[in-house]
Amino acid sequence: MRPAMQLALVALLAACGGDKDGGGGKKKNPTTTTTTTTDTGAPTTGSDMLSVEVAQMAAGDTGTVLVEVEVAEGDASFQVTGSVAQQGFVSLIDIRAPDGSSVAHWSDWWSSPRSLMNGFFGYDPVTAVQWPVRDDDGPLVPGTWQVRLAATDADLVPLSGESMEVTTMVKADDDLGQGDVLVQIVYAEGVDQDPAVVAGVEAAVERWREVWAAYGLNLTESYTTSTLDPDLPFTYTGADEVAQLPKPEGALRLIVGEKIGNERFTYGISAGIPGTAIDSRHTYVVLAWLVHAGADGVLDPGDTSLMGETMAHEVGHYMGLYHPVESDYTAWDALSDTVECTGANGCESQLGSNLMFPYSICDNSGCVAAEDMTVDQVAVKQRYVSTL
């Protein structure tokens, strides 16, 4: 087993001068020993629990788009995804309930040490907004909800008249204690040609399934191949080739490559917190099998166990979870039942086995299994629109 592997911040804040966990990236740190016009065709979802509507909208003079989401009795959550051209960025301004009250506003989270959604910061040209995020945010009240999105350039200058494709998904779910999550596992070009790597990935998926099953989450996976560069160079920019990969409606996507760009110590990265459930240039979690294998390039049982926990961790980011505490111990998630610790000793003793802890705790005998989730963490995953 290798020395401690560190989860690190992988995206700089594009819209304000601070650091937040943009993509929920998972890294190892080799210097430590311990231890990111309505579509007229009705999309097919494959499930009567999920309804989808696509619209092409133009941003107003202030660069804003107002999206109305119709919520019926029995609906549990919704996701709104705004997409603009690659030179633009989409951010969330606010969400309003049917009575007109604001339930989430960018100003409440912009400078907060606690993190709820990446959408407030406008990292990408594809931005997903999930509501409710937490149990504390729900349940949804039937009626017309309003989501205001902004289209800006990299300097936060509004892009008036910018065309924005808006996809709204609404999930009807009467059981938030159990859920099935469909994940498409995509091999980058050539990765599936090595039987040992395929066996290692499949063993890691079984570890992932085991971690989730303890919390009422059933992983249903499918496998496919692609011509994507196994170096996964598109991680921070997205790629048309990703958008062109067919996938089942609402499925999440995990792309397995050799490494992530030129990053020798990055295990995996999520394209969003949360990520979108639609097809787009930014619909992915990426995973580097070669980094997990280490210097010998062989995936032994300890490597595959770690890789399975990385899979569960990164897809956890994609479904809306942050680290319970960041690596500098000065920022936390917005959940009420994750300990707000402030130092290495206390955080490692209280949260070291949490699935979303920001780094692995290892010594010469091995690593602490990162497999625990709190009630509120599970609730975030159960409310994600692709948990059906």
Side-chain angles (χ1 to χ4, degrees), residues 108-130:
D108 295 327
W109 298 96
W110 187 270
S111 300
S112 174
R114 294 163 189 81
S115 298
L116 185 70
M117 277 188 287
N118 275 6
F120 296 113
F121 307 104
Y123 290 114
D124 296 308
V126 179
T127 296
V129 173
Q130 173 84 22

Side-chain angles (χ1 to χ4, degrees), residues 12 17 21 23 32 54 69 88 109 180 232 237 265 310 336 355 382 384-385:
L12 293 178
D21 188 352
T32 60
V54 182
V69 182
W109 298 96
D180 296 326
L232 306 179
T237 59
F265 306 113
T310 299
S336 60
L355 176 65
Q382 290 286 1
Y384 186 75
V385 290

Side-chain angles (χ1 to χ4, degrees), residues 42-52 169 248-250 388:
T44 302
T45 66
S47 170
D48 57 7
M49 296 171 64
L50 194 63
S51 61
V52 184
M169 289 184 166
E249 189 79 59
L388 301 172

Side-chain angles (χ1 to χ4, degrees), residues 28-115:
K28 70 176 179 180
N29 185 338
T31 65
T32 60
T33 57
T34 57
T35 336
T36 86
T37 313
T38 303
D39 186 357
T40 55
T44 302
T45 66
S47 170
D48 57 7
M49 296 171 64
L50 194 63
S51 61
V52 184
E53 182 178 339
V54 182
Q56 199 71 35
M57 307 177 76
D61 293 341
T62 59
T64 59
V65 167
L66 180 64
V67 183
E68 294 188 336
V69 182
E70 298 300 329
V71 171
E73 193 72 41
D75 288 340
S77 60
F78 62 79
Q79 184 183 90
V80 174
T81 300
S83 304
V84 296
Q86 280 299 101
Q87 70 270 17
F89 297 86
V90 178
S91 58
L92 170 64
I93 300 174
D94 68 355
I95 302 173
R96 292 186 177 271
D99 64 2
S101 61
S102 177
V103 297
H105 195 276
W106 71 269
S107 62
D108 295 327
W109 298 96
W110 187 270
S111 300
S112 174
R114 294 163 189 81
S115 298

Side-chain angles (χ1 to χ4, degrees), residues 7-20:
L7 301 176
L9 305 183
V10 297
L12 293 178
L13 202 59
C16 63
D19 292 336
K20 278 187 178 272

Side-chain angles (χ1 to χ4, degrees), residues 52-357:
V52 184
E53 182 178 339
V54 182
Q56 199 71 35
M57 307 177 76
D61 293 341
T62 59
T64 59
V65 167
L66 180 64
V67 183
E68 294 188 336
V69 182
E70 298 300 329
V71 171
E73 193 72 41
D75 288 340
S77 60
F78 62 79
Q79 184 183 90
V80 174
T81 300
S83 304
V84 296
Q86 280 299 101
Q87 70 270 17
F89 297 86
V90 178
S91 58
L92 170 64
I93 300 174
D94 68 355
I95 302 173
R96 292 186 177 271
D99 64 2
S101 61
S102 177
V103 297
H105 195 276
W106 71 269
S107 62
D108 295 327
W109 298 96
W110 187 270
S111 300
S112 174
R114 294 163 189 81
S115 298
L116 185 70
M117 277 188 287
N118 275 6
F120 296 113
F121 307 104
Y123 290 114
D124 296 308
V126 179
T127 296
V129 173
Q130 173 84 22
W131 197 259
V133 178
R134 309 162 294 182
D135 264 347
D136 293 347
D137 302 322
L140 283 182
V141 176
T144 302
W145 289 71
Q146 294 184 334
V147 177
R148 279 196 303 164
L149 302 175
T152 70
D153 65 15
D155 297 319
L156 288 182
V157 176
L159 298 175
S160 62
E162 178 74 13
S163 177
M164 184 184 297
E165 182 175 279
V166 177
T167 302
T168 302
M169 289 184 166
V170 182
K171 179 177 77 164
D173 192 346
D174 59 4
D175 183 5
L176 293 176
Q178 298 285 328
D180 296 326
V181 183
L182 177 61
V183 179
Q184 180 191 57
I185 298 173
V186 180
Y187 287 110
E189 186 171 22
V191 173
D192 63 315
Q193 298 305 302
D194 187 333
V197 173
V198 171
V201 169
E202 292 177 351
V205 169
E206 290 307 311
R207 172 59 178 151
W208 174 10
R209 190 191 324 279
E210 177 185 43
V211 171
W212 271 17
Y215 299 96
L217 293 159
N218 177 52
L219 171 63
T220 302
E221 76 278 8
S222 63
Y223 292 84
T224 189
T225 60
S226 74
T227 58
L228 292 171
D229 185 343
D231 193 40
L232 306 179
F234 54 83
T235 300
Y236 301 106
T237 59
D240 289 335
E241 296 90 335
V242 172
Q244 292 162 5
L245 290 171
K247 74 174 181 67
E249 189 79 59
L252 307 186
R253 176 181 288 135
L254 172 72
I255 302 173
V256 181
E258 292 183 353
K259 60 179 181 176
I260 297 170
N262 293 317
E263 300 182 33
R264 298 172 54 204
F265 306 113
T266 300
Y267 288 125
I269 295 175
S270 169
I273 306 177
T276 180
I278 67 170
D279 283 312
S280 81
R281 291 171 53 90
H282 293 258
T283 304
Y284 51 76
V285 164
V286 291
L287 185 94
W289 79 263
L290 194 56
V291 179
H292 285 86
D296 62 5
V298 177
L299 290 168
D300 62 34
D303 298 329
T304 58
S305 181
L306 174 65
M307 188 158 66
E309 291 167 16
T310 299
M311 292 171 172
H313 176 105
E314 294 303 333
V315 176
H317 280 311
Y318 204 86
M319 297 169 76
L321 289 176
Y322 285 84
H323 301 147
V325 60
E326 296 302 339
S327 299
D328 62 0
Y329 313 111
T330 63
W332 305 269
D333 65 21
L335 304 180
S336 60
D337 67 350
T338 50
V339 177
E340 194 168 297
C341 54
T342 57
N345 290 338
C347 290
E348 290 179 5
S349 64
Q350 296 176 87
L351 291 170
S353 63
N354 190 277
L355 176 65
M356 303 307 297
F357 194 64

